């Protein structure tokens, strides 16, 4: 599973009917009275019997808990250049569950909440530049990716810093911004449709 597939997976999982019904089924379970509990065998002979001895709090479900379907941060620290993968967010939240992802409750700044996630993008400069020049370089590149969504401007960046100097001529930077609604709920573009049919 590559980066784009993983991001699509975690968003579409918020609409997984098995996950959404899991909490409802749990709420409908009625605990047994102490006197109704069967005596547990001390030496289980099968895997099924052994599994019954594991406390509910320690059991691992194949389905994620509904509370984990919403996330606040996406860290894109990719081997080459994460900016190239930002197109995956275009229109992706059109498929998201509105009960998990709120289009209207947008946290301010670096705060977390029910709104769209903060995106932390790592990338390299090809030449040694000062902080302002490097910031303009990434704003331009991100703007090219989101051109069909209205572009991208420097005022959307919440944090920008030099992560490390890779060489005498190149540095790695991290750009943090909240995923714009214009991007998240934009009509899915042609490139994504091509990716999904591959």
């Amino acid at each position: 599973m590559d980066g784009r597939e993983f991001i699509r997976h975690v968003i579409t999982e918020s609409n997984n009917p098995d996950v959404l019904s899991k909490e409802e089924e749990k709420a409908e379970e009625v605990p047994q009275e102490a006197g109704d509990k069967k005596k547990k065998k001390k030496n289980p002979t099968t895997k099924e019997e052994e599994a019954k001895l594991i406390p509910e709090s320690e059991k691992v479900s194949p389905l994620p808990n509904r509370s984990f379907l919403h996330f606040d941060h996406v860290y894109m620290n990719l081997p080459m250049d994460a900016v190239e993968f930002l197109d995956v967010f275009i229109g992706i939240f059109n498929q998201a569950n509105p009960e998990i992802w709120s289009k209207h409750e947008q946290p301010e700044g670096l705060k977390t909440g029910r709104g769209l996630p903060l995106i932390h993008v790592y990338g390299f400069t090809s030449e040694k530049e000062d902080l302002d020049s490097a910031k303009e370089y990434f704003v331009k590149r991100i703007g090219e990716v989101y051109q069909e969504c209205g572009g991208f401007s420097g005022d959307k960046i919440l944090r920008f810093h030099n992560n490390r100097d890779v060489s005498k001529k190149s540095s790695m930077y991290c750009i943090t911004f909240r995923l714009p609604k214009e991007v998240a709920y934009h009509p899915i573009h042609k490139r994504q449709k091509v990716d999904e049919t591959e």
Side-chain angles (χ1 to χ4, degrees):
M1 183 181 292
D2 66 17
R4 286 190 176 91
E5 289 175 342
F6 175 75
I7 292 172
R8 292 192 189 108
H9 171 74
V10 294
I11 300 301
T12 54
E13 193 72 0
S14 67
N15 280 321
N16 186 331
D18 294 329
V19 175
L20 298 178
S21 63
K22 178 184 173 185
E23 294 297 320
E24 297 173 3
E25 291 175 1
K26 189 174 180 181
E28 291 175 359
E29 290 180 359
V30 180
Q32 293 180 328
E33 295 295 330
D36 295 336
K37 291 183 179 179
K38 296 180 180 180
K39 292 182 179 180
K40 296 177 181 178
K41 296 181 180 180
K42 293 183 179 180
N43 298 313
T45 56
T46 65
K47 289 185 178 180
E48 290 78 11
E49 291 177 348
E50 187 175 345
K52 291 178 182 179
L53 298 181
I54 301 175
E56 287 295 326
S57 59
E58 296 180 14
K59 289 183 178 179
V60 179
S61 171
L63 295 173
N65 188 292
R66 186 170 181 171
S67 61
F68 290 107
L69 293 176
H70 183 281
F71 51 87
D72 296 305
H73 302 268
V74 178
Y75 290 89
M76 304 181 72
N77 187 8
L78 300 172
M80 293 298 292
D81 197 346
V83 174
E84 297 176 2
F85 288 83
L86 286 174
D87 64 306
V88 73
F89 293 107
I90 298 177
I92 197 170
F93 281 84
N94 289 321
Q95 312 294 329
N97 188 329
E99 294 182 12
I100 306 295
W101 299 97
S102 174
K103 183 187 293 188
H104 308 291
E105 298 179 21
Q106 291 296 342
E108 295 181 358
L110 295 171
K111 294 180 180 179
T112 58
R114 288 191 60 223
L116 296 171
L118 292 167
I119 312 298
H120 307 271
V121 184
Y122 292 80
F124 300 91
T125 54
S126 56
E127 297 180 3
K128 193 70 175 179
E129 302 180 48
D130 59 56
L131 199 64
D132 290 337
S133 298
K135 184 176 180 179
E136 290 178 10
Y137 168 75
F138 284 106
V139 168
K140 181 181 178 181
R141 292 196 58 211
I142 296 172
E144 291 172 352
V145 176
Y146 291 151
Q147 184 175 5
E148 64 185 273
C149 308
F152 185 83
S153 56
D155 60 341
K156 295 184 183 298
I157 294 180
L158 300 175
R159 187 181 181 194
F160 183 80
H161 68 278
N162 183 332
N163 191 60
R164 64 188 174 92
D165 293 328
V166 180
S167 67
K168 292 182 180 180
K169 294 185 177 181
S170 181
S171 298
M172 173 187 274
Y173 290 89
C174 179
I175 310 98
T176 298
F177 61 93
R178 189 169 300 283
L179 184 63
K181 288 189 289 186
E182 298 80 9
V183 173
Y185 296 99
H186 190 78
I188 296 177
H189 66 340
K190 293 180 181 178
R191 182 175 175 184
Q192 273 187 301
K193 290 182 179 179
V194 170
D195 289 342
E196 289 172 357
T197 56
E198 290 177 352

